Amino acid sequence: QVQLVESGGGSVQAGGSLRLSCAASGFTYSSYWLAWFRQAPGKEREGVAAINSDGRISYAEFVKGRFTISKDNAKNTRYLQMNSLKPEDSAMYYCAAAPAFRILRLPLDAGGYNYWGQGTQVTVSS
């Protein structure tokens, strides 16, 4: 049984930083994509960043230069380092995972991911 558990969310002032973590268990695919999504109230879920088993990374335009996705294979954990946070970054952040064959072209498309965490709230105040 695959389980994804996020942590590291919280409240921060604009310009601050947070690091989100997502611990994975039971996910045994050797070729895969791991991603972070977010959803603010009244808005659709949107892709933030994704990384695959080969180290290929994809970022949404609105986080380029501010957020960094990484993974620690030994700990089965992936991270999202978020710097220069803005109030519009406030949302529930979810980690997601999928075997690579489900992510054909768009690693930031939520529809391809079949494993999801429960989410961690990020609130950025101005």
Side-chain angles (χ1 to χ4, degrees):
Q1 181 179 355
V2 176
Q3 188 173 19
L4 304 176
V5 180
E6 301 97 335
S7 60
S11 297
V12 64
Q13 288 191 325
S17 299
L18 285 172
R19 188 176 82 154
L20 306 183
S21 300
C22 177
S25 60
F27 190 77
T28 59
Y29 294 96
S30 59
S31 183
Y32 55 81
W33 279 93
L34 310 172
W36 288 96
F37 291 82
R38 70 186 188 185
Q39 188 168 19
K43 295 187 176 181
E44 292 188 355
R45 189 169 297 190
E46 58 184 1
V48 176
I51 186 169
N52 75 358
S53 46
D54 295 329
R56 177 186 161 194
I57 292 174
S58 180
Y59 290 107
E61 284 295 326
F62 53 80
V63 301
K64 281 185 178 179
R66 299 190 299 125
F67 291 10
T68 302
I69 188 171
S70 62
K71 59 186 175 74
D72 186 330
N73 292 332
K75 296 181 178 180
N76 289 326
T77 300
R78 100 288 301 272
Y79 305 96
L80 185 67
Q81 178 66 44
M82 305 186 295
N83 299 328
S84 302
L85 283 162
K86 305 174 181 180
E88 51 264 41
D89 293 318
S90 297
M92 185 71 79
Y93 282 71
Y94 299 90
C95 64
F101 67 82
R102 291 182 58 92
I103 310 300
L104 299 179
R105 293 186 299 115
L106 300 174
L108 296 181
D109 182 348
Y113 291 86
N114 55 336
Y115 299 109
W116 291 85
Q118 294 298 308
T120 186
Q121 179 68 41
V122 171
T123 303
V124 184
S125 57
S126 58

